[in-house]
């Protein structure tokens, strides 16, 4: 039983004649009668609220995406004749942000009403939605009855795969330019024959197929594409520095989203993709393989990856890669350079690996530090924070320059640019025939 503001206001009004009854004894009986009438009306209003017949159901996506405002639908079925006002609230996991958190709805007779809200998870993994809570307001507006509808359900929060889905929906990848991607097939710059086409102005004479030209009686160009079935190993750092929050997600979440998008494009492009998840050692390893089955394995491995509050042992990672990787591969290492002492251990072994493989380091820019530097300090404490941020970013730039030597490629981009930057650099490496 939930008293409404209207009932509390009515009782407050009745308090005035109750005070006057001390001076006028004849008012006492009337005041008690009014109080009893108010309470009787409240009880009657509560009984009417209890008689309202409701059914409440929740509809969730099969998979939720981390950092994405996922649509959640709550359906209320009113089986009655009068109009009813209700407040509905869902018991979403505490790690989710919901917008809006609750809703006030008017249910017409014998109707179905939908309430849609957005739930944004901030972590990957398994979570539990609880029950649905509905507060039914009586027709007199004096009392409400609160009901709980059993709707507990577990959900899985996966990395944000929307980019991969959009690419899949693009069919033959004709609209990849609109997605910010370069073409998957780099015509004219690869090493494998793709097709023949009519000569166009600007084509190199070396690409002209003279036999086909003689047969057709007009100039024909031989189109080449990047070699397929090459090896790509994605290495994802799950150490303590990747637990830092950037733009609402951890750096590990940004890296996982980009890694899966890159893997999707590479597998679609015919290459073999593997994975190494590492921190103070190699936590999980998938040897490079092709096909949709391999992509599902990658998703399942990264789905529950969480940052370990430990140092990162790059030497252990690269020792294992030296043993496992016999074929020249593209190594995409998603890591962070905020901890200078730790990141310094990356440089020498990565340069040694560059003699056999093609290493590419990818990191997420710390936008909070950059934003802090753009804001002038307003006091001693802010000035100290400004100086620390400036030193951290300066050390980061020095370390990036050291990593970039010796044949190692480097990308340090904003979180929302990481996925496309990684895929475009992969396509560029393929097109130049570096592998």
């Amino acid at each position: 039983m939930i008293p409404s503001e209207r009932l509390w206001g009515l009782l407050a009004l009745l308090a005035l004649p109750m005070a006057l009854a001390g001076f006028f004894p004849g008012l006492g009986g009337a005041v008690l009668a009014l109080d009893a009438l108010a309470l009787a009306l409240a009880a009657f209003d509560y009984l009417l609220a209890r008689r309202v017949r409701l059914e409440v159901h929740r509809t969730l996506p099969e998979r939720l995406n981390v950092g994405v405002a996922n649509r959640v639908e709550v359906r209320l079925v009113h089986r009655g004749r009068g109009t009813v006002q209700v407040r509905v609230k869902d018991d979403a996991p505490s790690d989710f942000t919901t917008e809006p958190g609750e809703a006030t709805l008017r249910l017409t007779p014998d109707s179905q009403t939908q309430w849609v809200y957005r739930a944004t998870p901030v972590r990957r993994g398994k979570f539990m939605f609880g029950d649905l809570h509905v507060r039914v307001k009586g027709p007199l507006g004096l009392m409400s009855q609160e009901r709980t509808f059993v709707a507990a359900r577990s959900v899985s929060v996966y990395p944000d795969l929307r980019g991969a889905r959009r690419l899949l929906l693009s069919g033959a990848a004709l609209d990849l330019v609109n997605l910010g991607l370069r073409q998957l097939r780099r015509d004219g710059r690869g090493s494998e024959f793709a097709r023949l086409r009519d000569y166009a102005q600007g084509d190199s004479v070396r690409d002209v197929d003279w036999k086909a030209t003689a047969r057709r009686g007009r100039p024909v160009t031989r189109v080449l594409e990047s070699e397929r079935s090459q090896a790509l190993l994605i290495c994802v750092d799950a150490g303590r520095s990747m637990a830092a929050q950037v733009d609402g997600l951890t750096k590990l979440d940004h890296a996982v989203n980009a890694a899966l998008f890159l893997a999707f494009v590479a597998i679609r492009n015919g290459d073999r993709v593997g994975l190494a998840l590492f921190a103070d050692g190699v936590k999980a390893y998938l040897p490079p393989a092709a096909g949709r089955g391999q992509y599902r394995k990658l998703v399942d491995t990264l789905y529950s990856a969480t940052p370990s509050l430990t140092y990162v042992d790059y030497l252990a990672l690269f020792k294992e890669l030296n043993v496992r990787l016999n074929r020249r591969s593209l190594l995409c290492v998603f890591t962070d350079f905020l901890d200078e002492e730790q990141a310094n251990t990356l440089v020498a072994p990565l340069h040694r690996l560059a003699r056999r493989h093609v290493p590419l380091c990818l990191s997420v820019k710390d936008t909070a530090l950059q934003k802090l530097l753009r804001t002038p300090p307003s006091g001693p404490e802010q000035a100290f924070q400004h100086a620390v941020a400036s030193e951290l970013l300066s050390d980061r730039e020095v370390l990036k320059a050291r990593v970039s030597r010796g044949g190692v490629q480097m990308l340090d981009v904003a979180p929302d640019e990481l996925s496309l930057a990684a895929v475009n650099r992969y396509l560029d490496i393929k097109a130049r025939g570096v592998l």
Side-chain angles (χ1 to χ4, degrees), residues 27-265:
L27 291 177
V31 171
L32 289 175
L34 289 174
D35 287 342
L37 177 61
L39 294 176
L41 288 174
F44 179 67
D45 198 34
Y46 173 73
L47 291 176
L48 292 177
R50 283 191 61 181
R51 294 182 60 185
V52 174
R53 291 184 296 165
L54 279 180
E55 296 177 13
V56 184
H57 309 278
R58 181 203 299 119
T59 302
L60 286 168
E62 290 185 7
R63 291 183 175 184
L64 304 184
N65 291 324
V66 66
V68 176
N70 300 273
R71 175 189 170 96
V72 181
E73 180 182 299
V74 177
R75 181 167 56 91
L76 297 95
V77 181
H78 175 216
R79 303 189 184 279
R81 290 178 292 179
T83 300
V84 180
Q85 180 175 314
V86 300
R87 281 177 60 189
V88 56
K89 188 178 187 303
D90 197 358
D91 190 8
S94 58
D95 287 308
F96 288 27
T97 58
T98 57
E99 182 63 34
E102 59 181 48
T104 300
L105 307 171
R106 292 186 66 84
L107 310 182
T108 55
D110 290 320
S111 64
Q112 293 189 17
T113 305
Q114 290 182 344
W115 172 49
V116 176
Y117 72 94
R118 303 287 175 172
T120 306
V122 297
R123 294 192 294 116
R124 287 168 285 104
K126 278 194 174 292
F127 298 90
M128 180 67 71
F129 272 80
D131 298 327
L132 290 160
H133 306 280
V134 178
R135 187 172 292 182
V136 183
K137 193 172 186 179
L140 301 179
L142 299 176
M143 295 291 290
S144 296
Q145 184 212 11
E146 189 162 302
R147 305 183 188 182
T148 298
F149 294 84
V150 177
R153 176 184 166 184
S154 64
V155 294
S156 297
V157 178
Y158 280 79
D160 183 8
L161 306 179
R162 292 176 301 165
R165 291 195 184 115
R166 286 180 61 198
L167 185 58
L168 183 63
L169 292 174
S170 67
L174 296 177
D175 60 344
L176 289 177
V177 175
N178 295 329
L179 298 178
L181 289 171
R182 303 169 186 172
Q183 292 183 352
L184 284 180
R185 297 175 64 163
R186 295 302 190 87
D187 294 345
R189 299 180 64 188
S191 58
E192 292 190 347
F193 174 78
R195 67 186 187 278
L196 296 174
R197 62 168 172 80
D198 289 342
Y199 178 86
Q201 186 175 359
D203 286 348
S204 172
V205 176
R206 292 178 298 178
D207 294 331
V208 173
D209 189 306
W210 297 107
K211 291 183 179 179
T213 298
R215 287 196 304 269
R216 298 185 183 184
R218 62 181 185 277
V220 175
T221 299
R222 185 188 301 109
V223 178
L224 304 177
E225 67 178 2
S226 300
E227 183 182 348
R228 291 173 177 255
S229 297
Q230 293 179 315
L232 163 65
L233 186 72
I234 299 174
C235 306
V236 179
D237 178 357
R240 61 189 175 192
S241 61
M242 298 295 280
Q245 292 269 341
V246 180
D247 292 356
L249 294 178
T250 64
K251 290 187 176 183
L252 178 59
D253 281 318
H254 290 296
V256 166
N257 293 341
L260 288 175
F261 190 28
L262 173 61
F264 182 90
V265 174

Side-chain angles (χ1 to χ4, degrees), residues 313-372:
D313 192 344
Y314 293 107
L315 191 58
L317 168 69
F318 295 140
K319 279 183 177 179
E320 184 148 351
L321 297 187
N322 267 326
V323 174
R324 291 181 178 268
L325 289 180
N326 298 319
R327 181 177 175 181
R328 183 173 174 84
S329 307
L330 171 60
L331 304 179
C332 293
V333 183
F334 290 89
T335 188
D336 185 60
F337 298 109
L338 198 58
D339 187 336
E340 182 184 6
E341 181 178 352
Q342 174 180 284
N344 274 325
T345 63
L346 165 72
V347 178
L350 192 61
H351 288 171
R352 286 195 295 270
L353 271 179
R355 300 168 189 168
R356 294 179 51 200
H357 305 285
V358 181
L360 169 62
C361 274
L362 305 104
S363 63
V364 178
K365 283 185 177 178
D366 201 315
T367 52
L369 291 179
Q370 295 177 328
K371 183 178 180 180
L372 178 62

Side-chain angles (χ1 to χ4, degrees), residues 255-312:
V256 166
N257 293 341
L260 288 175
F261 190 28
L262 173 61
F264 182 90
V265 174
I267 288 176
R268 184 185 177 94
N269 205 26
D271 285 333
R272 298 179 299 110
V273 181
L275 172 70
L277 183 68
F278 67 97
D280 53 347
V282 177
K283 304 297 184 181
Y285 182 82
L286 292 175
R292 293 183 179 180
Q294 178 71 355
Y295 184 72
R296 285 193 292 269
K297 291 179 182 178
L298 294 170
V299 173
D300 291 340
T301 303
L302 290 175
Y303 151 70
S304 57
T306 55
S308 303
L309 300 182
T310 60
Y311 71 97
V312 176

